[in-house]
Amino acid sequence: MYQASGEATLYTWSVIYRNDMPPFRDRVPYVAAIVDLAEGPRMMTNVVDCPFEELQVGMPLTVAFQPISDDFTIPVFVRA
């Protein structure tokens, strides 16, 4: 078993203002992002709790976990 650090850097992002597909229509606007994990892989995710105008390529991020239902929790990223 390998434990990840939870650290990442912002590679790219897009602010989504309209998405008519459930369950996303209730979450707009949101940041769809690609981050580079400290361990090497790149992943798609969301950046939360950061004003859109403060997002920058290379910004250090750390993982947080966001429940999306009683059964599921997803990894999202916040400013480190």
Side-chain angles (χ1 to χ4, degrees), residues 3-18:
Q3 185 169 347
S5 68
E7 297 174 0
T9 57
L10 185 57
Y11 177 75
T12 191
W13 75 94
S14 182
V15 179
I16 309 300
Y17 290 97
R18 182 175 175 169

Side-chain angles (χ1 to χ4, degrees), residues 21-71:
M21 294 181 61
F24 303 103
R25 69 172 62 116
D26 298 327
R27 297 181 186 160
V28 293
Y30 62 91
V31 176
I34 298 176
V35 301
D36 290 326
L37 301 178
E39 293 75 22
R42 187 172 280 166
M43 70 178 281
M44 293 187 71
T45 186
N46 296 111
V47 176
V48 298
D49 299 332
C50 181
F52 303 148
E53 63 275 1
E54 294 181 16
L55 295 167
Q56 296 179 22
V57 169
M59 171 185 275
L61 303 168
T62 189
V63 73
F65 295 94
Q66 184 176 64
I68 59 169
S69 73
D70 290 338
D71 298 318

